[in-house]
Amino acid sequence: MQSFVYNGQSARVIFGSGRLAQLPAEVDRLGLKRVLVLATPPQAEDAENLSALLGARSVGVYSRATMHTPVDVTEDAMRVVSDKNVDGLIAVGGGSTTGLAKAIALRTDLPQIVAPTTYAGSEMTPILGETKDGQKVTQSSPKILPEVVIYDVDLTLTLPVGMSGTSGMNAIAHAVEALYAKERNPVVSLMALEAIRALARSLPLIHDDPADRDARADALYGAWLSGICLGSVGMALHHKLCHTLGGSFDLPHAETHTVVLPHALAYTAPAIPEVIEKLRDVLGHQDPAAALFELAGRIGAPRSLREIGMPEHGVEVATERALANPYWNPQPLERDGIRALIARAYAGEAPAI
């Protein structure tokens, strides 16, 4: 018998096609009168259109959301929140925009409505990673979890093929690590396996035909489940490495997860034989780490840290920082093994157990 604790996350989820049209009704349902629409600079025009849709309910747009949620950007946004007497937040975009909304909510407890345009999954978690002085610090609080998430498949149809692939691999990483997290439980494991299955079958289809609506819906479904997994259990080696690499070298978030995932799984594999057996079934491959490495290649995603901007000296830096304040992991962390893992990921070599 397995003993476990399961914590359900209470977020309202609206899923389907054309569901963003329900946003004004959701704003009204929450009793919000002065919402601020958040975006990254490239999505500023879309945010302005959304603000216009909300009419008098919106006080305007803040379009400086940035990857890795820098604290200085959050502090700048907080001044706008205060000056405009904002009573709610709307985030339409990827993990950068969602991260900014969550950072503001942590400081203010303002309600959030998030409409993801990628497969990041962070909208389903009470977890926030913030970057300051080159260090990324993760924390959790009920204030961070959005109140409403609108999954509109239509919003993902224009997501570029490359970003679709890495965003989907990022989601798979959340689900894979949930299978062997310290707080794992049967409910989360069911969702994790279903998420991996949905994403692994849909990402190649999206790569071949970005307009495949059924594949897009399948991927968004998998991303939703992966987000629940990430928000329900703790993190281990994979996420520690990605936070270290992203914060230290300002590497792109989803691409970093894509590169590191097969290597982190291979490192941990000897300690999790039951998980490996389940992944063999889901991925249809005797070596799940190799399967994930091959999947990244199939969809044209980067497979080396070098090609996404990490300097060669970063191997030593990342090794030291990953071991300085390590996360729990079923396979104990040993310096030589971690350095070899990062070196293979840097060079784009296949994962090795």
Side-chain angles (χ1 to χ4, degrees):
M1 181 184 72
Q2 178 185 355
S3 298
F4 61 89
V5 174
Y6 172 70
N7 290 311
Q9 305 294 343
S10 57
R12 175 176 168 88
V13 174
I14 300 167
F15 191 103
S17 178
R19 301 297 268 170
L20 191 60
Q22 196 166 331
L23 178 60
E26 288 300 308
V27 170
D28 291 342
R29 189 183 65 84
L30 292 173
L32 305 178
K33 305 294 184 184
R34 300 182 59 79
V35 300
L36 180 65
V37 182
L38 306 174
T40 57
Q43 295 174 308
E45 184 177 348
D46 293 336
E48 292 288 355
N49 293 336
L50 187 58
S51 178
L53 172 67
L54 292 170
R57 306 174 185 87
S58 173
V59 299
V61 171
Y62 182 86
S63 57
R64 287 192 57 205
T66 305
M67 184 173 63
H68 302 308
T69 319
V71 170
D72 61 329
V73 173
T74 300
E75 291 172 346
D76 183 58
M78 284 293 297
R79 287 188 282 272
V80 177
V81 168
S82 178
D83 292 345
K84 293 184 177 291
N85 195 27
V86 170
D87 66 359
L89 305 166
I90 308 294
V92 180
S96 298
T97 307
T98 301
L100 177 58
K102 293 164 79 169
I104 296 171
L106 176 64
R107 292 160 171 79
T108 62
D109 205 20
L110 289 175
Q112 307 166 70
I113 301 176
V114 178
T117 60
T118 72
Y119 308 127
S122 63
E123 66 280 349
M124 292 305 300
T125 78
I127 302 167
L128 171 66
E130 295 184 289
T131 304
K132 186 175 183 179
D133 300 327
Q135 297 290 326
K136 192 166 188 177
V137 177
T138 301
Q139 57 186 308
S140 180
S141 166
K143 295 179 181 180
I144 296 172
L145 183 71
E147 279 70 15
V148 180
V149 179
I150 300 176
Y151 285 108
D152 190 334
V153 175
D154 297 354
L155 294 177
T156 66
L157 291 173
T158 57
L159 185 65
V161 170
M163 194 176 297
S164 297
T166 55
S167 181
M169 292 296 293
N170 181 20
I172 291 176
H174 301 330
V176 167
E177 193 152 83
L179 290 170
Y180 60 80
K182 191 175 185 178
E183 301 84 358
R184 67 191 181 279
N185 61 72
V187 177
V188 169
S189 293
L190 286 171
M191 288 189 283
L193 292 169
E194 175 71 357
I196 296 165
R197 195 188 312 272
L199 286 157
R201 71 189 174 209
S202 61
L203 293 181
L205 298 176
I206 292 170
H207 176 267
D208 295 343
D209 180 9
D212 187 332
R213 188 176 292 270
D214 289 338
R216 290 285 189 181
D218 209 16
L220 196 58
Y221 165 67
W224 168 41
L225 294 177
S226 295
I228 297 174
C229 294
L230 177 63
S232 301
V233 299
M235 294 174 283
L237 173 62
H238 170 84
H239 281 83
K240 174 62 178 182
L241 288 175
C242 290
H243 291 166
T244 298
L245 292 164
S248 299
F249 309 109
D250 197 31
L251 303 183
H253 180 85
E255 288 84 347
T256 303
H257 280 270
T258 301
V259 173
V260 171
L261 172 60
H263 300 280
L265 179 60
Y267 181 93
T268 306
I272 52 170
E274 293 182 2
V275 169
I276 295 300
E277 192 59 40
K278 291 176 181 177
L279 287 172
R280 284 173 178 156
D281 178 62
V282 169
L283 295 171
H285 197 297
Q286 274 299 107
D287 184 346
L292 293 170
F293 185 75
E294 292 166 11
L295 176 60
R298 166 70 174 82
I299 62 177
R303 295 197 289 183
S304 76
L305 295 172
R306 176 171 48 202
E307 66 185 292
I308 62 173
M310 178 174 152
E312 187 171 4
H313 76 268
V315 173
E316 296 298 338
V317 173
T319 300
E320 296 304 322
R321 291 184 177 178
L323 294 171
N325 185 26
Y327 290 4
W328 177 90
N329 196 66
Q331 180 76 357
L333 306 190
E334 298 178 354
R335 190 186 188 286
D336 289 347
I338 295 300
R339 190 197 179 284
L341 182 168
I342 297 172
R344 281 192 293 272
Y346 172 79
E349 298 172 0
I353 297 176

